Amino acid sequence: MFIEFVKAINTFNSFLLGWSNQFIEKLPVADFIKDALIDSINLIPFLFVIFFFIEIFEIYFSKKIKHLSNHSKISGPFLGALTAIVPQCGFSVIASTLYINKLITRGTLIAVYISTSDEAIPVLLAHPEMIKSILPILGIKFLLAVLTGYTVDFLFKPSTDEKEEELEFEEQGCCKHEITNDRFKKRVLILHPLKHTANIFIFIFLVTLILNFILLKTHGHIEQVFMYNSPLQPVISAIIGLIPNCAISVLITMLYIQHAISFGAVIAGLSSSAGLGLIILMRRNDSVKDTLKILAILLSVSMLSGLILQILF
């Protein structure tokens, strides 16, 4: 039923933007450019609706994740992984801030990093034919996050302090919006989804443009360019996922949608893709050794899980 609902929305989008499709078809540019424009523009209304509801969820769940320190030693990795499943762009930043202030464990931080998917879910939702992939991706990443989080906390003694004071979150998420939810602002509920939709539209258009060009030059055999089913693919995908930018999750997801990378590779890339949280960790963590250890664990787990899934599927 949900899939049919999403398909209906996409059909309505196509109807609503039919005039733009006709206009683009008349442009004096190559067909692969026209196709990229049409495909990307048709996603705009749907993406805005998705990001509008994500903004509401983020406002609610961000308050929850700020209280992870109350449960960090016992259920932190589980709650961190569960909360980070919600599509958003700021949870990894909040988790990094909590960790730097020794309010959550290393395992909880890594669980949040692995579980979060940045823009992957909205992009998949915008393609009805890929919706069936969402639950397997979220489920595997959640289980991987929980298992890794508790394993890390078991092997490395948690170093959280009992602190009661409230932290001030001054960091910015994507689109330069403040990651703070102490005061609900209606204008943010509209402006941020609009900015987010515009940014992701640009990312999707550029990625689609490049992929369409590759498809044209390879006569539809894009998988050959990206070494489909090669054991190197999950490794490279995991390394690329470490780049702290939401455009990376869009790139990895679009490659998966175009069947250019395998299921194992998309899991590897999205598991290591912790977004802006990595910037906060690298910038503000006093211990370079600790930061490198976290990055090494995140990368190793992502690569290994991707390789195992590559073999199994």
Side-chain angles (χ1 to χ4, degrees):
M1 183 177 178
F2 176 72
I3 295 177
E4 294 302 320
F5 174 71
V6 173
K7 287 182 178 179
I9 294 179
N10 277 276
T11 301
F12 176 74
N13 287 344
S14 299
F15 171 77
L16 185 67
L17 297 172
W19 63 270
S20 66
N21 297 349
Q22 295 175 5
F23 174 77
I24 292 171
E25 288 290 354
K26 296 178 182 179
L27 294 176
V29 295
D31 287 341
F32 77 91
I33 299 177
K34 295 178 183 178
D35 291 340
L37 275 171
I38 291 174
D39 291 343
S40 303
I41 290 175
N42 285 342
L43 296 179
I44 290 178
F46 189 70
L47 286 173
F48 174 75
V49 172
I50 293 175
F51 288 129
F52 175 79
F53 284 106
I54 285 176
E55 189 71 18
I56 296 175
F57 279 118
E58 188 173 7
I59 289 172
Y60 175 77
F61 282 102
S62 289
K63 294 178 181 178
K64 301 297 181 182
I65 201 171
K66 286 180 183 180
H67 296 293
L68 270 179
S69 55
N70 298 331
H71 312 278
S72 183
K73 293 182 180 179
I74 301 174
S75 55
F78 175 81
L79 292 178
L82 185 64
T83 307
I85 281 181
V86 178
Q88 38 61 46
C89 59
F91 290 178
S92 64
V93 173
I94 296 174
S96 296
T97 303
L98 291 172
Y99 177 74
I100 290 166
N101 286 276
K102 298 182 179 180
L103 291 171
I104 62 173
T105 65
R106 184 185 290 133
T108 300
L109 176 67
I110 293 176
V112 171
Y113 282 174
I114 292 175
S115 186
T116 189
S117 301
D118 264 358
E119 316 306 333
I121 304 307
V123 174
L124 287 171
L125 281 171
H127 293 79
E129 73 278 8
M130 302 302 298
I131 291 178
K132 292 181 180 179
S133 299
I134 294 177
L135 285 181
I137 289 174
L138 290 181
I140 290 175
K141 278 166 55 64
F142 171 73
L143 292 175
L144 183 64
V146 172
L147 180 61
T148 303
Y150 280 112
T151 301
V152 168
D153 280 350
F154 177 77
L155 296 177
F156 304 98
K157 185 179 179 181
S159 57
T160 56
D161 295 337
E162 296 296 333
K163 295 184 179 181
E164 298 295 334
E165 67 268 19
E166 284 287 330
L167 282 179
E168 293 293 332
F169 291 88
E170 299 179 353
E171 290 83 6
Q172 292 182 329
C174 64
C175 312
K176 304 298 182 182
H177 79 295
E178 295 181 0
I179 302 175
T180 174
N181 300 288
D182 295 331
R183 288 181 294 179
F184 182 81
K185 299 178 181 178
K186 292 182 179 179
R187 63 183 182 86
V188 173
L189 193 60
I190 300 298
L191 290 179
H192 182 227
L194 280 174
K195 291 181 180 179
H196 211 153
T197 300
N199 284 344
I200 299 306
F201 161 73
I202 293 173
F203 295 153
I204 290 177
F205 169 67
L206 292 176
V207 173
T208 304
L209 184 66
I210 295 171
L211 292 181
N212 283 354
F213 179 76
I214 295 175
L215 278 167
L216 178 66
K217 293 300 181 180
T218 60
H219 303 288
H221 298 290
I222 192 173
E223 68 279 358
Q224 296 177 359
V225 177
F226 293 94
M227 300 178 293
Y228 192 84
N229 278 336
S230 166
L232 283 176
Q233 199 178 68
V235 173
I236 296 174
S237 183
I239 294 173
I240 292 175
L242 283 179
I243 300 174
N245 191 302
C246 58
I248 298 303
S249 61
V250 174
L251 170 63
I252 293 171
T253 307
M254 291 301 295
L255 287 173
Y256 179 62
I257 291 172
Q258 292 289 344
H259 306 290
I261 63 175
S262 65
F263 183 72
V266 77
I267 291 294
L270 294 181
S271 295
S272 64
S273 181
L276 298 177
L278 293 179
I279 293 181
I280 302 302
L281 180 69
M282 291 184 285
R283 182 186 300 168
R284 295 183 52 191
N285 192 359
D286 294 332
S287 174
V288 176
K289 182 179 179 181
D290 181 51
T291 297
L292 292 176
K293 186 179 293 184
I294 291 171
L295 292 177
I297 293 172
L298 183 63
L299 185 59
S300 300
V301 170
S302 300
M303 287 180 176
L304 182 61
S305 60
L307 286 169
I308 292 175
L309 289 170
Q310 183 99 310
I311 295 172
L312 295 177
F313 301 98

